[in-house]
Amino acid sequence: MTISVTTDATNPTASLATPAAEALDMDRLSFMLFGHAAFQYLHAACELKLLDLLMERGALTVGEIREELALAERAADILLLGSTALGLTVKEGDRYSAAALISSLHTEGVWQKLKDTVAFEQHIVYEGQADFVESLRENTNVGLRRIPGDHPDLYHRLSQHPHLESVFYRYMRSWSQLANEHLVAELDLGNAGHLLDCGGGDAVNAIALARHNPGLQVTILEIPTSAAVTEKKIAEAGLSDRIEVHPGDMFTERFPSDNDCVLFAHQLVIWTPEENTLLLRKAYEALKPGGRVVIFNSMSNDAGDGPLIAALDSVYFAALPAEGGMIYPWRLYEQCLRDAGFSSAQRIAVPGWTPHGIIVATKHAP
């Protein structure tokens, strides 16, 4: 069986690639060398609420900043040296203000989502990625040893660490919200009666799709240790009559059947291609003829040269969550879909700085 690939009319194949990386120079190399320190300045500016303070109060002197943040003189000098050198803050005369981009992100409602991402990187990713080299050597998630527990994947271990679990779900909700408006807009579910959301987390995508499609019923397949969090979010959204949670492991349990659509949102970046093919085959079996499977997550270019965020995010997937996974290229998902029985796929690139993409494939009638 051959799989045909089409692209969205507004996003032709050429637009799925990014320009080649900038030529390496000493400034770029130096930033890589001290990139860990740059991130710590970003985290400190968020955690100490420096940027929130400046957006709330306007330009302030170093003395006013010290008083508001309860920092000693040396500590404030270090924080402001880094935040200003990195462009997070701008100094005019003796006053500091938040960068225009930060203020714009705040106005657009994006800033809190960025802060949730920073917290995830600091509290979950940062320590584990110290094992990146060993993870590459062993071809497995060696960094998971930094998270106490016995289960071989991160997601089951998080239930034993309430603070980390909270950080993780805030991040996943925010990361999804940065792009799922495009999922809602691009995915036509007008004729769909039932959608199965595999590994739906705290229901952020299921809720968005249910609200946009009033006739849609959704079942979320989620691991039992996280099901309570999922149910709580659904109840808070007032959608318990339309979204239900089916506790279970997607690898070991049979998928609920008779679905018009099966959604994998931010799932297939975690597992190996072989595991992804297995999950897509289970989705194929759980779909009605004419039903569709939807893959929604970050994508890398088919050429293997970017985008940069896809490459950087792959450090996490190599070192922490499970034994396989990375930000895969579009073509790999299409190969998995072909191996699972699907015969056609549509690519939909998502605009914006996050490298999200959507692939939709149909189960054709026998």
Side-chain angles (χ1 to χ4, degrees):
M1 179 185 294
T2 59
I3 188 165
S4 61
V5 179
T6 61
T7 59
D8 182 79
T10 60
N11 294 288
T13 304
S15 70
L16 303 181
T18 55
E22 296 176 22
L24 184 65
D25 59 18
M26 281 309 301
D27 285 342
R28 189 173 175 85
L29 183 60
S30 296
F31 197 83
M32 282 187 263
L33 179 62
F34 292 100
H36 60 289
F39 173 78
Q40 289 304 327
Y41 273 118
L42 174 60
H43 174 247
C46 293
E47 185 69 18
L48 297 173
K49 296 182 170 57
L50 168 64
L51 299 170
D52 292 282
L53 171 67
L54 296 176
M55 286 187 286
E56 179 184 342
R57 294 273 304 276
L60 298 175
T61 66
V62 64
E64 292 168 332
I65 292 170
R66 284 179 52 200
E67 181 178 355
E68 290 291 336
L69 301 185
L71 292 177
E73 181 177 358
R74 170 181 165 276
D77 287 346
I78 293 172
L79 176 62
L80 290 169
L81 170 64
S83 65
T84 305
L86 288 166
L88 298 170
T89 53
V90 177
K91 185 180 182 185
E92 296 182 353
D94 64 348
R95 292 182 174 272
Y96 296 84
S97 57
L101 174 62
I102 303 297
S103 297
S104 175
L105 293 173
H106 183 269
T107 300
E108 295 168 5
V110 176
W111 176 237
Q112 183 58 51
K113 298 178 178 63
L114 266 292
K115 290 200 297 181
D116 291 340
T117 304
V118 170
F120 166 74
E121 295 291 330
Q122 173 68 21
H123 295 291
I124 295 179
V125 180
Y126 210 86
E127 188 174 0
Q129 67 186 0
D131 291 317
F132 179 51
V133 171
E134 196 63 23
S135 296
L136 294 178
R137 284 181 175 144
E138 299 295 329
N139 196 32
T140 191
N141 54 328
V142 177
L144 185 63
R145 64 186 178 181
R146 311 282 178 157
I147 310 292
D150 297 325
H151 202 278
D153 73 58
L154 171 68
Y155 310 105
H156 287 83
R157 291 193 186 191
L158 286 175
S159 63
Q160 303 171 38
H161 307 281
H163 171 66
L164 294 183
E165 185 177 49
S166 176
V167 167
F168 176 80
Y169 277 110
R170 284 201 306 271
Y171 156 73
M172 280 307 304
R173 171 168 287 268
S174 291
W175 189 246
S176 293
Q177 288 174 337
L178 286 169
N180 71 5
E181 64 182 277
H182 302 289
L183 174 68
V184 170
E186 297 288 349
L187 185 59
D188 182 4
L189 293 172
N191 295 323
H194 190 268
L195 178 143
L196 176 64
D197 184 359
C198 294
D202 70 351
V204 58
N205 296 305
I207 289 170
L209 290 169
R211 284 175 171 165
H212 190 74
N213 299 274
L216 185 68
Q217 294 288 324
V218 181
T219 297
I220 298 177
L221 179 60
E222 182 60 37
I223 56 176
T225 54
S226 301
V229 173
T230 311
E231 290 173 341
K232 179 182 177 183
K233 289 296 184 182
I234 294 167
E236 289 173 352
L239 288 169
S240 297
D241 60 329
R242 295 179 52 211
I243 305 176
E244 65 174 352
V245 180
H246 181 94
D249 187 309
M250 70 177 77
F251 284 103
T252 60
E253 291 201 13
R254 185 182 181 91
F255 285 5
S257 60
D258 206 32
N259 301 289
D260 298 295
C261 184
V262 176
L263 171 67
F264 292 99
H266 298 112
Q267 277 297 314
L268 303 189
V269 290
I270 302 170
W271 317 109
T272 65
E274 294 76 18
E275 289 170 320
N276 286 343
T277 299
L278 170 64
L279 292 174
L280 290 168
R281 188 173 295 120
K282 294 178 75 170
Y284 187 91
E285 294 168 353
L287 282 167
K288 299 176 183 178
R292 293 170 295 164
V293 66
V294 177
I295 301 170
F296 172 61
N297 50 232
S298 297
M299 305 281 184
S300 61
N301 298 336
D302 287 343
D305 58 359
L308 178 58
I309 293 177
L312 298 178
D313 201 15
S314 289
V315 175
Y316 162 70
F317 289 103
L320 265 171
E323 290 187 3
M326 63 174 287
I327 306 301
Y328 291 111
W330 299 80
R331 59 176 170 76
L332 185 136
Y333 290 119
E334 291 156 0
Q335 175 68 45
C336 293
L337 286 164
R338 181 179 67 244
D339 292 343
F342 294 93
S343 59
S344 63
Q346 177 191 19
R347 297 183 181 190
I348 304 172
V350 173
W353 66 272
T354 67
H356 280 82
I358 304 166
I359 300 180
V360 182
T362 302
K363 175 180 179 177
H364 293 295

